Amino acid sequence: MTRSPSSATASPPREAKIGTYRLTGLNDIEITDRPFFAIEGFDPAGALYQGETLLAVDRA
């Protein structure tokens, strides 16, 4: 049996967990009215995403 750490002793994650997905085989895409909230700390130009980022939110 594993135990979850107590919220008093647990430290926050070092970075936000962002899902990355392959788009191969994605079909029937449509726009919805569901709200979208950009993650403030995400940098699509970061080293981890160089040459891999397909789309990003323009914050200008």
Side-chain angles (χ1 to χ4, degrees):
M1 181 171 141
T2 60
R3 294 181 52 168
S4 299
S6 162
S7 60
T9 60
S11 59
R14 288 177 282 159
E15 61 184 48
K17 300 297 180 191
I18 300 174
T20 54
Y21 307 93
R22 294 195 184 278
L23 301 179
T24 304
L26 199 58
N27 298 310
D28 301 325
I29 299 171
E30 62 184 50
I31 296 174
T32 68
D33 290 332
R34 195 171 89 182
F36 171 81
F37 303 99
I39 297 173
E40 293 299 322
F42 174 65
D43 179 12
L48 180 62
Y49 298 103
Q50 285 294 309
E52 302 294 328
T53 303
L54 179 63
L55 300 170
V57 174
D58 182 3
R59 297 176 188 249

